[in-house]
Structure formats: structure tokens, C-alpha cells
Amino acid sequence: MEYVAPDLSKDAASEEEKDVGKSEAQAVVETSKESMSAFFTILAAAFGLISDGYQNNLMTMSNVVFKKLYPDTYTSPVSTRVSNALLVGAVLGQVSVGLICDRIGRKVALVATTALIVVGAILGTAAHANTPAGLFWFLTVARGITGVGVGGEYPASSTSASEAANEKMIKRRGPVFIMVTNFVLSFGGPLAISVFLIVLSAAGENHLPTVWRVCFGIGVILPLTVFYFRLRMLSSKLYRKGAIKHRVPYTLIIKRYWKTLIGTCGAWFLYDFITFPNGVFSGVIISSVTSSGGIKETAEWQLLLTTIALPGVFVGAYLCDIIGRRNTMMIGFSGYLVFGLIIGLSYDKITKIVPLFIVFYGLMNSLGNMGPGDMLGLVSAESFPTSIRGTCYGLSAAIGKTGAAVGTQAFTPIQTNLGKKWTFIIAAICGTTGVLVTYFFVPDKTGVDLADDDAEFMKYLADNGWEGAVGEDDDEVLFRHDLKSSLDEKM
């Protein structure tokens, strides 16, 4: 009988078909995971930043409570120190976490910031000492730790959200980014005041220590809602393909983006110089112009003030794609000029009509939200390539928080030496400066695909002879200036 050899080619072909089928199925699963991860990254950014908004506004009514409980100890310098602790921590967090975002990864940065906020909030809630002075030093440290986490959320959440939005909804990237960043940050104001009013009504004004501790404790819960999702998230496609973790060409970066950095850093400094002290001390301002100056009445007016400021966020989200980021930002800065002068020049008369004062004050803040409030984060996320987005965003936001710290530190001396009306007149001056900085230094990236910007940046590096590894994990490639075509194909 003749021996017939088995047809191994058929088996091999069959195996190849199976392998192809498996790889295709695996690709579908991975694409599905990436799609879900992008969605949850955007959602988690919203929940993460709402805790930032809550922490940013937590001291608004806490300052009033501490002044009531410890009138001799909680002096202006102590109040400023406790309030500024969050800002100092935020500056450190924004710079350090911005670098971590780019050099180590978005996921590590997001998990670290969440953990820091939780730890700082727990310490603040449990703050204890033998003397009131010791209590406020404890709170200063706790708020500083919270601040590092809060500050780190800015570059970590915002860069991740902008990249995820670019993948999922590029044509609506601007409005989506605004709704999951500045809207939730701004909503933190009404949320903090609402929580305060509910706790105050439940506990009563005779139990103010319980009131402020419960309000601090609720700040622990908010960041915990996103912790699990951040542990499970994937890096964005833009980051996996465009990350530069070693031999970062900072000299070339500064050479290319110095003008943009002046715009984002300068505009953010001016905006936070105005808005942060006006937020932290708005309770004190309102308390000084209301008839009774009571805690509950002050909180109710404060709630109205923060609520009036919210519509500006939606207007900015609507306008940013129609008239562009830069024009929207300039209109917002102009609002400080108009309403700052109206309130400042008529301060003695307008404060006698409290509802009118609150409405004008709220409209000034609303225009601030519409313009620089909405646009600064968006512009800072869009103006830099993926490989340095976290670093440049964090630096811009850190300069902004420096402006907030300077404004908070200067707030009381300005009121004491120049008069209360000058806080609003100076806001008008800063608004005018903001318009000029925005016009001359801030680019408008409306409708630009972030991937195209990344490709242009890589071409710029190639033209200047830079060599190094680009990408993360399986997407990493060795980039040399003589291999531009292969990188262009990859991007």
C-alpha cells in the first residue's frame, strides 16, 4: 500500500485562520475596552473635579464659623494662612503631578491625587489640639495636603478628559471638556454652601463645631466615588502613541511654546488673583453688608451669589465653538472691567441694597466663569502636544494658583488700607490686563485635532535633530530625526 503524507498546509492554513480570528476578536475586545475607558475617564474627571470645587469653596463659610467660634484667635493672618494652605499645596501638586502625568503616566497621577485628597480631608475632619492656635496649625497642614491632591487633579483630570474627548467627540471637544471641568468646579460652590446650610439646619447654631467637621467630612466621600474607576482606566491613545518619558527636550519646548506659556500662565494668574479671594472671602464681604450679619443669612445670600455665577459656564460652553476660545475669553475678562467698576465706584450706595449688590456681584462672577473660567483649562489642554500637555497645563495652573495666593494674601490689606471698594476696582484693572494678555499671547485651537498638533510637534523635534523613545508600552518606538517618515506613519 502506498503511503500518503498528510497535507500539513491545510492544517497550517486552518491554524492561521484561527489566529487571525482570535486577533480580530481580541482587537474588538480591546477597542471596546478603550471606548469604555475613554467614557469613564471623562465621567471620572467630572466626579474628581467636583470634589476640587467643594474643597475650593469649603473655607467660604468655614471662615465665618471660625470667626464666630474663635473671635480672638481666628484673626486675619490666621484666616489667610489656613485659606492659603490649600493654594500652596495646589501649586506643588500642579507642578509635580503635571510632570508625573507626562513622565510616568496619567493613571498613576490620577490615583495619587485621589489618595491625597482623601488623606488630607480625613486629617482636616479629625483636626484636634489643646489650644485653638494649635487647631488652626493642624488645619493648615491638613489643608496643605488636600491642596496637593486638589492641585494635582487639574493637570491629571483635565489632560485625560481632553484626550478622551478628542477620541470620542472631536467636534464637541470644547463644550464636553468645559462641562466636565469648569462646570463641576463651579458647581462645587453651591454644593458646599448647600451642604453647609443642611448641616447647620440639622445641628443648629449652638453646635457649630459639629457643623464644620461634618462639612469637612463630606469632602472625604466625594473623591472616593471615582477611586475604583481610576484604578481600572487605560491611558488615552494619544498618550500611548505620543508620550516622551525620557530625554524630554525642554529647551526645544520653551523655544517653540514660550509665547503660549506667557499667555496661559499670565491669564490664569490674573483670573485666579481676582476670583479666588472673591470666593474665599465673599462670605465675609456679604456678612459685612447684610443687616444682621448672621451665619444662616450670610449662607443664604452666598448660595444665591454662587448660583447666579453658574449660567456663565453654559454660555461659555455654547460660545467657544461659535466665536472661538480666545474671543470668548476676552469677553469674560471684559465682564470684570464692567461690573468691577460699577460695584467699586458705587460701593457705598449699592451695598445698602443687598439684593442688587448680590446680583451685580454674581453677574461679575458669571462672566468670569463664561470667559477665563471656561477657556483657560480648555486652551491650556489644547495648546500643547500630548507629550508635554500635563507639564505645561500644570505649570499654567500653578502660576494661576500663585496669583490666587497673592490675591488672598493682599485681600485684607487692600480692604484695610484702600477701602473695600478697591477689591472690585482692582478686579476691573486685572480684567483689562487679561483682555490684552489673551489677545496677544493666547492661541485659538478651535476645531484642531490634537493628533495633528502631536504630528507637527514631532516634525519640529525631527527638524531640530532630537532623538529618543516616543510612546508607551507596545506603542513605543525609537525616534530618530532620519526616520521621520516612520514616525509620521505611526502618528
Side-chain angles (χ1 to χ4, degrees):
M1 184 173 12
E2 184 181 356
Y3 173 73
V4 179
D7 189 353
L8 297 178
S9 62
K10 290 183 179 179
D11 292 339
S14 177
E15 288 299 321
E16 283 183 14
E17 288 175 4
K18 287 180 181 179
D19 290 341
V20 170
K22 285 180 181 178
S23 63
E24 287 178 353
Q26 187 177 3
V28 170
V29 172
E30 287 178 356
T31 302
S32 177
K33 284 183 178 179
E34 288 174 355
S35 180
M36 290 300 294
S37 179
F39 173 76
F40 280 115
T41 297
I42 295 170
L43 197 63
F47 279 95
L49 288 170
I50 199 171
S51 72
D52 280 26
Y54 184 85
Q55 293 292 344
N56 284 338
N57 290 276
L58 187 58
M59 290 305 298
T60 300
M61 290 310 302
S62 297
N63 279 328
V64 179
V65 169
F66 290 144
K67 191 70 178 174
K68 190 94 170 176
L69 287 172
Y70 310 101
D72 296 329
T73 307
Y74 202 65
T75 58
S76 291
V78 175
S79 171
T80 302
R81 186 186 74 221
V82 176
S83 298
N84 264 356
L86 187 82
L87 299 176
V88 174
V91 171
L92 295 175
Q94 285 162 339
V95 174
S96 59
V97 175
L99 285 167
I100 290 171
C101 274
D102 293 336
R103 303 297 293 273
I104 300 176
R106 311 297 199 228
K107 180 177 178 177
V108 173
L110 287 165
V111 172
T113 57
T114 305
L116 283 167
I117 293 172
V118 171
V119 171
I122 290 172
L123 289 173
T125 306
H128 181 74
N130 293 326
T131 64
L135 171 66
F136 294 126
W137 273 113
F138 198 128
L139 279 174
T140 300
V141 174
R143 294 291 286 169
I145 294 170
T146 306
V148 176
V150 166
E153 277 283 343
Y154 279 73
S157 287
S158 299
T159 54
S160 300
S162 66
E163 290 162 7
N166 195 75
E167 291 177 16
K168 300 297 293 180
M169 48 202 87
I170 187 170
K171 291 183 179 179
R172 302 298 295 164
R173 182 183 65 222
V176 169
F177 179 88
I178 289 167
M179 296 310 294
V180 300
T181 55
N182 192 49
F183 170 69
V184 292
L185 281 168
S186 301
F187 183 71
L191 177 63
I193 305 303
S194 298
V195 167
F196 176 83
L197 279 169
I198 292 168
V199 176
L200 180 66
S201 299
E205 293 196 26
N206 294 326
H207 299 88
L208 291 179
T210 302
V211 173
W212 75 259
R213 287 187 188 276
V214 171
C215 291
F216 271 65
I218 289 171
V220 179
I221 300 171
L222 294 172
L224 286 175
T225 58
V226 298
F227 201 77
Y228 173 77
F229 296 108
R230 288 182 167 176
L231 286 172
R232 303 280 294 172
M233 68 172 280
L234 301 173
S235 296
S236 67
K237 287 181 182 178
L238 284 171
Y239 183 74
R240 292 201 306 273
K241 292 181 181 297
I244 299 177
K245 296 187 175 184
H246 308 286
R247 299 189 70 247
V248 182
Y250 289 115
T251 303
L252 292 176
I253 290 165
I254 293 170
K255 183 179 177 182
R256 182 175 174 86
Y257 292 106
W258 66 269
K259 184 178 178 182
T260 303
L261 280 170
I262 289 175
T264 55
C265 292
W268 219 324
F269 181 95
L270 292 165
Y271 173 63
D272 277 6
F273 181 88
I274 302 168
T275 193
F276 204 91
N278 271 299
V280 170
F281 294 112
S282 57
V284 177
I285 294 172
I286 293 170
S287 178
S288 69
V289 301
T290 53
S291 55
S292 67
I295 291 178
K296 190 172 183 180
E297 183 186 2
T298 299
E300 289 168 345
W301 284 117
Q302 181 69 35
L303 179 60
L304 176 62
L305 174 66
T306 53
T307 304
I308 293 172
L310 276 180
V313 178
F314 299 102
V315 176
Y318 175 74
L319 291 176
C320 70
D321 282 342
I322 296 174
I323 64 174
R325 281 58 159 151
R326 184 166 52 198
N327 290 334
T328 305
M329 198 153 109
M330 288 193 293
I331 292 171
F333 268 126
S334 299
Y336 285 121
L337 170 63
V338 174
F339 286 101
L341 285 179
I342 290 173
I343 297 171
L345 296 178
S346 62
Y347 187 84
D348 294 333
K349 294 182 179 179
I350 199 171
T351 50
K352 293 176 182 177
I353 312 169
V354 178
L356 182 64
F357 170 70
I358 296 296
V359 168
F360 274 59
Y361 196 178
L363 288 172
M364 184 181 83
N365 292 339
S366 187
L367 280 164
N369 272 335
M370 183 199 83
D374 277 358
M375 296 304 119
L376 276 168
L378 180 58
V379 166
S380 298
E382 292 179 338
S383 298
F384 306 101
T386 301
S387 54
I388 57 167
R389 183 169 292 120
T391 303
C392 294
Y393 189 107
L395 177 62
S396 302
I399 298 298
K401 280 294 179 284
T402 303
V406 173
T408 305
Q409 195 73 35
F411 185 86
T412 302
I414 288 171
Q415 282 200 331
T416 303
N417 298 316
L418 299 177
K420 293 179 179 179
K421 67 179 182 180
W422 274 94
T423 57
F424 294 96
I425 295 173
I426 289 173
I429 296 170
C430 289
T432 306
T433 310
V435 171
L436 296 174
V437 170
T438 303
Y439 181 78
F440 287 108
F441 295 101
V442 174
D444 195 329
K445 296 284 186 176
T446 305
V448 174
D449 189 339
L450 299 182
D452 293 340
D453 259 6
D454 286 359
E456 288 181 14
F457 179 62
M458 290 302 169
K459 184 178 182 301
Y460 165 75
L461 294 183
D463 291 341
N464 285 272
W466 180 82
E467 297 180 355
V470 178
E472 184 182 47
D473 300 330
D474 294 338
D475 291 293
E476 184 176 292
V477 297
L478 185 62
F479 173 60
R480 299 208 314 266
H481 65 276
D482 57 338
L483 296 176
K484 281 194 293 181
S485 58
S486 63
L487 186 78
D488 291 342
E489 187 177 321
K490 171 180 178 289
M491 296 301 295

